[in-house]
Amino acid sequence: MTLDQLDAFVATVEHNGFKPAARSLGKHSSTISTLVATLEDIVGFDLFERLPRSLVITDKGQELYNEAKAVLREADMFQSKADSLQQGIKGKLTLAIDSSVADDKVLQSIQTVSTQYPSVKIRLLSGDTLQVRTWVLSGRADFGISLATHTNLAGLDVQRAYSFKIAVIVPLSWNADNYTSLAALRSELQLCYSFFIELGMEDAHIVSYRTLECNDGRQMIDLVEKGIGYAVVPEYLAEKAIQEKRVKQLELAEQKPALWYTNLIKLTDAILDPVGERFYKEFGQIADK
């Protein structure tokens, strides 16, 4: 029994005949019919009932169809694994993703690469900005993508990726006319990323005298919606809440900072295999937002 025989059998079932199956496989119809007939000799029963103008799969043939598809899938995975080994691919990769940057573009990039390398086991670690950095430093993740911290750390290779606009959002109950500048927000409670405080980035990002620290941008948006305070978050994270009128976006005379950035990070001496390099390239090509 050969893979060619199983391939011909499955194609004949899925395309309802030898001729359309032959066209799908780029072979002559006589070749397909011969492969199927040989397979029938091997299994000892007919896979199809041959009518004057059509083929009808038999009950036994139907049962073998699903098994044949499974064998062909396994064969494809085997070939893919062999190709990966030949290309120097390790077979597994761990990515650390900052939950605040895990938007559709990042997830699409993951899907694109994972589809290209189906035999590679990909593990995703999702956490806050500092967790991503810790996972990469400890070797738990091969590399990570996170909000930029603007602080250099020994042992890490940091590459700037895409930038994005920010939004200052407030609860619906607040009168936006009362907040036309950052100075007007100083007495209000500011929800902010915890790493701003932990890394000493208050001067660049903290406006208010009072703060509530969070490690997740989506959590901050939920808290704003509940009326707890205001927040400065990536605009793409808040876009849906703004459109659904669950929060308000302020238009201020000045916004600090105007843009934020994302970073790709890996160990300085880390050598990525072709899959890691493909991910790095894919994330690096995400357009500014």
Side-chain angles (χ1 to χ4, degrees), residues 41-67:
D41 289 340
I42 293 172
V43 299
F45 51 80
D46 290 339
L47 299 172
F48 298 97
E49 182 181 355
R50 290 159 174 80
L51 302 177
R53 294 184 177 275
S54 64
L55 291 176
V56 178
I57 191 169
T58 63
D59 290 342
K60 291 180 180 179
Q62 186 64 55
E63 289 188 37
L64 283 188
Y65 165 69
N66 292 328
E67 298 297 328

Side-chain angles (χ1 to χ4, degrees), residues 145-146 159-163 261-264 283-286 288:
I145 181 170
S146 72
Q159 175 182 315
R160 177 174 286 185
Y162 59 89
S163 64
Y261 298 88
T262 54
N263 281 340
L264 293 170
F283 288 144
Q285 291 177 340
I286 296 176
D288 295 340

Side-chain angles (χ1 to χ4, degrees), residues 1-223:
M1 188 179 301
T2 67
L3 292 178
D4 282 343
Q5 291 168 340
L6 296 180
D7 209 13
F9 168 49
V10 168
T12 301
V13 174
E14 294 180 346
H15 295 278
N16 299 309
F18 294 137
K19 287 184 178 179
R23 286 194 294 270
S24 72
L25 296 176
K27 297 181 178 180
H28 294 295
S29 59
S30 59
T31 302
I32 299 300
S33 62
T34 299
L35 287 169
V36 171
T38 305
L39 181 60
E40 288 175 320
D41 289 340
I42 293 172
V43 299
F45 51 80
D46 290 339
L47 299 172
F48 298 97
E49 182 181 355
R50 290 159 174 80
L51 302 177
R53 294 184 177 275
S54 64
L55 291 176
V56 178
I57 191 169
T58 63
D59 290 342
K60 291 180 180 179
Q62 186 64 55
E63 289 188 37
L64 283 188
Y65 165 69
N66 292 328
E67 298 297 328
K69 286 199 70 172
V71 171
L72 291 174
R73 280 195 298 268
E74 290 296 323
D76 286 342
M77 289 297 294
F78 179 87
Q79 185 61 58
S80 179
K81 183 65 175 181
D83 292 343
S84 295
L85 292 173
Q86 186 179 38
Q87 296 169 31
I89 295 173
K90 298 175 183 176
K92 61 181 180 178
L93 185 75
T94 301
L95 308 178
I97 308 291
D98 189 328
S99 58
S100 289
V101 305
D103 69 339
D104 290 343
K105 296 295 184 182
V106 170
L107 299 180
Q108 180 62 50
S109 295
I110 294 172
Q111 180 186 26
T112 298
V113 181
S114 62
T115 300
Q116 184 178 350
Y117 298 96
S119 67
V120 177
K121 295 180 180 179
I122 298 173
R123 184 185 183 199
L124 299 180
L125 301 177
S126 180
D128 63 36
T129 305
L130 292 184
Q131 283 179 311
V132 169
R133 194 167 74 170
T134 299
W135 287 331
V136 174
L137 276 171
S138 67
R140 189 176 174 189
D142 294 289
F143 74 91
I145 181 170
S146 72
L147 292 176
T149 61
H150 302 290
T151 56
N152 295 323
L153 195 63
L156 283 182
D157 176 69
V158 180
Q159 175 182 315
R160 177 174 286 185
Y162 59 89
S163 64
F164 53 86
K165 297 177 182 178
I166 60 171
V168 181
I169 57 173
V170 301
L172 288 179
S173 59
W174 290 20
N175 185 350
D177 292 338
N178 294 334
Y179 306 98
T180 57
S181 68
L182 288 172
L185 289 166
R186 285 206 171 98
S187 62
E188 303 293 353
L189 180 66
Q190 179 179 355
L191 310 173
C192 66
Y193 283 101
S194 55
F195 73 84
F196 291 165
I197 309 297
E198 294 177 44
L199 297 179
M201 300 169 64
E202 297 97 322
D203 290 344
H205 297 285
I206 305 301
V207 174
S208 295
Y209 304 121
R210 299 182 301 137
T211 60
L212 190 158
E213 299 173 35
C214 302
N215 65 355
D216 183 88
R218 291 177 176 83
Q219 183 183 55
M220 284 194 279
I221 295 169
D222 291 340
L223 292 172

